[in-house]
Amino acid sequence: MLKGKNIVIGLTGSVAVYKICELIRLLVKAGCNVDTIMTESAAKFINPYLIEELSQNKCITDTFERVAEFDVKHISLANKADMFVVAPATANVVGKIANGIADDMLTTTIMATKAPKMIAPAMNPNMYSNPIFQNNLKRLSEYEDYIILPTGEGEMTCGDFGSGRMLEPKEIFARIKRELSYEKILKGKRVLVTCGATMEDIDPVRFITNHSSGKMGFAIAETAVSMGAEVTLIKGNTTAEMPYGLNVINVKSAADMFEAVKANYKNADYIFKAAAVADYTPKEKALNKIKKADGNLSIELKRTDDILKFLGENRKEGTKICGFSMETEDLIKNSSKKLTSKNVDMIAANSIANKDSGFGTDTNRITIITENGNKELPLMTKEECACEIIKTLTEM
Ligand code: CTP
């Protein structure tokens, strides 16, 4: 979805500059055209030739002899950029941009571009918390076309501990993708997503669960964020890699998930209930580990609450709800029943009869069931499915 996008990266003088190699690699792999501009101090940390090798484009740097061609080039970069990323962004460059100083190739190009500008700060915790820097950052964040990325916490190269660590390349990549991949059709909307498997304790050692990896729910959450929504993700046990920077509420059992949903569903405009929730839980959880004995063991199970049904019956006016259904037989018949019995707008049904669809796969074969009929989607990536599911629900 980033294919053909022009990304310009401005690299400044921070130790974190080496991480930009990975960011460039991810962007190039995704089909982007990557151009780079380095400040003089960035070029002291890393050789521009390496950046050129990775991006397959000339890296503009002030350390190179100035030729007239560069002046033209920086304006053409400013014009062609779909996104301008300053990473790592030092206190110095943030200060310059926030105060309208354009005294080198990078800051001049930023001044000239109308593209959205993403700033990924990287610095020592004391510099990061300095009120002068924070004021500059705040000033930039007040402009609509500036996206200020948060920083991580941890031990810095200098040995200090605190905020100021640049986001990891994978995360910066995900943020770029979010900005550029989809039309922002969910801007101003609140979306609630549940995902993953619930775990029902038998005793302090064992539990009952299922094979849900969380991939489909993650794809819905990530795509909804990319479409501009404010997303809350209620997450059971998952094995898939979690998208970055989401508002996540971790739960364990079906009962925990129900409580979290009850506390968060009221403001939601759209609800996607992708979690695989246990229908039964042990009637009693043993306080101590159950010791083996001769013969078989029976564990009595009791029904859990049907969370989706609760949502269908208690939703506020205007909230649209999509449930998910996974079947091994009679997919359409069984899933269609859930549309009415749970009073929801849509069921995304998928069969686990095929190896390329269902638990843990990257692809799915979904049939979207609504009262208007069924739409059978071809084999798609879970992200493509998520896009179709969200669009169909919002267009209803
Ligand atoms: N669901 C729920 N609460 C439960 C069980 C299921 O909210 N206790 C939701 C799931 O998150 C999913 C939908 O209901 O969105 C369908 O789940 P599924 O397990 O396919 O169906 P069930 O309603 O559990 O029915 P059955 O197990 O008989 O197929």
Side-chain angles (χ1 to χ4, degrees), residues 273 275 277 279 304-308 324 326-327 338 342:
K273 193 114 203 353
V277 187
D279 290 323
T304 57
D305 290 300
D306 190 324
I307 306 170
L308 187 58
F324 286 73
M326 196 170 254
E327 300 288 346
K338 292 174 197 174
K342 301 191 190 222

Side-chain angles (χ1 to χ4, degrees), residues 16-60:
V17 75
Y18 75 93
K19 294 188 177 179
I20 302 310
C21 296
E22 175 67 2
L23 176 63
I24 296 172
R25 203 188 60 78
L26 290 168
L27 288 165
V28 169
K29 204 168 150 218
C32 296
N33 175 64
V34 180
D35 285 288
T36 51
I37 305 175
M38 259 190 183
T39 61
E40 212 172 320
S41 41
K44 288 184 180 144
F45 281 94
I46 194 168
N47 195 312
Y49 294 132
L50 175 60
I51 300 297
E52 290 185 348
E53 267 313 306
L54 292 166
S55 67
Q56 292 295 298
N57 276 320
K58 185 127 199 79
C59 174
I60 303 181

Side-chain angles (χ1 to χ4, degrees), residues 320-337:
K320 294 204 176 121
I321 305 179
C322 168
F324 286 73
S325 173
M326 196 170 254
E327 300 288 346
T328 51
E329 51 193 0
D330 294 330
L331 176 70
I332 303 301
K333 195 171 132 219
N334 286 331
S335 303
S336 303
K337 274 191 211 154

Side-chain angles (χ1 to χ4, degrees), residues 289-308:
K289 184 182 169 196
I290 300 171
K291 301 299 287 175
K292 68 176 171 295
D294 290 339
N296 297 334
L297 170 74
S298 296
I299 299 168
E300 198 176 347
L301 302 177
K302 63 176 184 191
R303 279 289 304 270
T304 57
D305 290 300
D306 190 324
I307 306 170
L308 187 58

